[in-house]
Amino acid sequence: MAEDKKARKGTNVVGMFPQAQLQEFKEAFGMMDVNRDGFIDESDLKAIHNDLGRNPSDKELKEMLKECPGQLNFTAFLTLFGEKMHGTDSESTFRQAFEQFDPEKKGKLAEEYVKDLLLNVGDQFKEEEIRQVWKEAKISGGQFDYEAFVTLVKRGPQDDMAQ
């Protein structure tokens, strides 16, 4: 069952691209995954850059990999390209937007405060839109857990991902 959920989650990302483009991404990922372990890591990036005549520092390599919130497997690779090509914000940008309202960086905001922001600031939500968000959002003790919400929006439900 957990495998079915993982497959469905990946299908959302896969659905963002035409089949021919997916094949191109798969080939590119295969070329970048130098050690063929299914993940692109620092050693893979270093080998690719060396092949291109560049010698990036370890700091530069780490910075490149920081764009991905977890290990850079094929699904994460597609997600990064999807965000870049389709104009969605990265997970860190999305989280930083909430952090602007959380100076202590606790990962939670008062439910009523978030509701007020959604109703009155920027692209204002309607009550029905807020009800829909609240159905998915983790709210406990009047606190909106934006860390969990960002993870839910960007990666899907995580309860099936526990190992």
Side-chain angles (χ1 to χ4, degrees), residues 31-55:
M31 290 171 53
M32 296 172 84
D33 182 16
V34 177
N35 61 13
R36 302 286 183 248
D37 64 355
F39 301 95
I40 296 174
D41 58 20
E42 281 184 57
S43 65
D44 294 321
L45 288 178
K46 188 172 202 119
I48 294 162
H49 281 272
N50 288 339
D51 287 347
L52 297 171
R54 286 196 67 232
N55 191 17

Side-chain angles (χ1 to χ4, degrees), residues 1-126:
M1 181 172 218
E3 292 299 317
D4 291 342
K5 287 183 180 179
K6 285 182 186 176
R8 276 196 309 259
K9 179 182 175 272
T11 304
N12 293 338
V13 175
V14 171
M16 294 171 67
F17 302 102
Q19 191 62 39
Q21 193 172 29
L22 275 176
Q23 187 58 38
E24 290 174 6
F25 283 139
K26 194 170 193 173
E27 289 173 24
F29 183 85
M31 290 171 53
M32 296 172 84
D33 182 16
V34 177
N35 61 13
R36 302 286 183 248
D37 64 355
F39 301 95
I40 296 174
D41 58 20
E42 281 184 57
S43 65
D44 294 321
L45 288 178
K46 188 172 202 119
I48 294 162
H49 281 272
N50 288 339
D51 287 347
L52 297 171
R54 286 196 67 232
N55 191 17
S57 68
D58 289 343
K59 182 181 177 186
E60 287 175 300
L61 296 171
K62 283 179 183 16
E63 285 296 316
M64 288 179 212
L65 288 171
K66 276 173 61 175
E67 286 191 49
C68 184
Q71 290 188 306
L72 186 51
N73 61 16
F74 184 64
T75 303
F77 183 77
L78 285 179
T79 301
L80 287 173
F81 272 94
E83 288 172 348
K84 299 288 184 202
M85 294 173 69
H86 295 98
T88 62
D89 290 326
S90 69
E91 186 170 337
S92 63
T93 300
F94 194 21
R95 182 172 288 105
Q96 288 169 358
F98 283 108
E99 287 175 351
Q100 296 299 309
F101 302 98
D102 181 16
E104 297 175 16
K105 309 287 187 264
K106 292 182 177 180
K108 296 181 181 179
L109 295 167
E111 175 184 3
E112 289 302 315
Y113 179 57
V114 175
K115 185 176 179 181
D116 181 60
L117 289 172
L118 292 173
L119 286 170
N120 298 305
V121 178
D123 293 333
Q124 299 168 357
F125 279 47
K126 297 179 178 133

